[in-house]
Amino acid sequence: MSATARKMAPNAEDIRARKGGTPLVSLTAYTTPMAQFMDGHCDFVLVGDSVGMVLHGLPSTLGVSMEMMILHGQAVARGLSQAMMVIDMPFASYEEGPAQAFRNAARLMAETGAGAVKLEGGVEMAETIRFLVKRGIPVMAHIGLTPQSINTLGGYKVQGRDAQADAVLADAHAVADAGAFSVVLEKVPQGLADRITAEVAIPTIGIGASAGCDGQILVVDDMLGFFTAFKPKFVKRYADLGPLAEAAISEYATEVRARSFPAPEHVFADQAPVAAKTAAPKASQKD
């Protein structure tokens, strides 16, 4: 094999095999250009249902449809060649039962090329996870704060403190035993996240959990400073591109109104430029 052969994207079993190894890196993506930026740096890229809030201005993820997930999944797939793509199953596409979940998971994978689906829920979703995995659908689980359940959780609260810890721990064991290849731990106390990571045989992916997890994920627009409606405690802004973008747009608007843009170098002359003539080569002289 050539030493310059292109790196192949990992699959679900590759991700599972990273348990206890070098931490897994992941971000969300919703568009082709953003996927291209992160392709060489992430182990897997998540097409998250957070797209509803980040790009579509929805108040929560509950209004995200299958069609939206497929559209953004197809866009992200065009930007990836080295990272695995995982796609979220949107609200009401799997909760009814295993058969419904299989139909929609199979559609998401077939129409986007995703390598796995992610769904929210623990003990109550174990049967569905087992059903999907037995039928060839790799599943990434998601427990702790599950945004699709905010109406029953009472908002975006930390999950697993005090008496709740045993329930979250049971969720982790249930999804691992059901065959999930990894599990996202969202907004779970550090000590509980470390305990789950030590006890389950699959990688844990933290988002507001612990540095001791087997990997980390963030919403890319949060960490780049594009999404400014609110900033969760667990987000570190590695750049503040939102204000830079607004400043650039403001400068553009000012120049347009002042007629300083477009400048001469940005417009076209009435006559096409005359191509420069190439000098004929001199005839060689014989001695």
Side-chain angles (χ1 to χ4, degrees), residues 125-207:
M125 282 296 137
E127 179 186 356
T128 294
I129 293 171
R130 186 174 290 107
F131 188 92
L132 294 180
V133 171
K134 285 184 176 180
R135 287 156 181 79
I137 306 285
V139 176
M140 177 179 289
H142 183 154
I143 64 172
L145 173 64
T146 48
Q148 293 175 8
S149 302
I150 57 166
N151 289 330
T152 56
L153 294 177
Y156 297 96
K157 300 177 180 179
V158 174
Q159 301 295 309
R161 283 180 172 153
D162 303 324
Q164 291 182 331
D166 288 343
V168 176
L169 184 63
D171 284 339
H173 282 285
V175 299
D177 293 344
F181 70 91
S182 59
V183 57
V184 172
L185 307 180
E186 181 167 357
K187 221 164 181 182
V188 170
Q190 181 176 343
L192 178 58
D194 288 339
R195 181 179 175 187
I196 292 171
T197 300
E199 290 190 13
V200 300
I202 59 175
T204 56
I205 312 298
I207 177 167

Side-chain angles (χ1 to χ4, degrees), residues 63-87:
V64 175
S65 67
M66 283 285 292
E67 288 69 28
M68 288 169 65
M69 294 307 302
I70 289 169
L71 177 68
H72 289 284
Q74 291 170 340
V76 169
R78 296 184 193 108
L80 298 180
S81 62
Q82 301 179 59
M84 178 185 179
M85 187 172 88
V86 180
I87 190 164

Side-chain angles (χ1 to χ4, degrees), residues 214-236:
D214 296 299
Q216 301 293 329
I217 186 169
L218 285 176
V219 172
V220 69
D221 291 69
D222 284 342
M223 59 89 73
L224 290 179
F226 277 126
F227 184 73
T228 57
F230 59 87
K231 178 182 174 293
K233 171 183 171 63
F234 56 78
V235 170
K236 176 179 178 178

Side-chain angles (χ1 to χ4, degrees), residues 23-168:
L24 293 154
V25 177
S26 180
L27 290 167
T28 63
Y30 320 111
T31 65
T32 304
M34 196 63 78
Q36 290 172 327
F37 286 138
M38 61 184 68
D39 187 37
H41 305 284
C42 290
D43 298 295
F44 71 90
V45 169
L46 174 67
V47 185
D49 60 358
S50 50
V51 67
M53 301 172 74
V54 174
L55 293 190
H56 293 273
L58 297 177
S60 72
T61 62
L62 300 183
V64 175
S65 67
M66 283 285 292
E67 288 69 28
M68 288 169 65
M69 294 307 302
I70 289 169
L71 177 68
H72 289 284
Q74 291 170 340
V76 169
R78 296 184 193 108
L80 298 180
S81 62
Q82 301 179 59
M84 178 185 179
M85 187 172 88
V86 180
I87 190 164
D88 265 341
M89 297 194 71
F91 177 67
S93 70
Y94 61 94
E95 295 91 338
E96 186 177 325
Q100 180 210 30
F102 178 78
R103 286 193 302 273
N104 286 319
R107 182 185 173 197
L108 282 173
M109 292 184 68
E111 295 190 30
T112 67
V117 299
K118 181 171 76 64
L119 57 79
E120 297 180 6
V123 171
E124 74 280 9
M125 282 296 137
E127 179 186 356
T128 294
I129 293 171
R130 186 174 290 107
F131 188 92
L132 294 180
V133 171
K134 285 184 176 180
R135 287 156 181 79
I137 306 285
V139 176
M140 177 179 289
H142 183 154
I143 64 172
L145 173 64
T146 48
Q148 293 175 8
S149 302
I150 57 166
N151 289 330
T152 56
L153 294 177
Y156 297 96
K157 300 177 180 179
V158 174
Q159 301 295 309
R161 283 180 172 153
D162 303 324
Q164 291 182 331
D166 288 343
V168 176

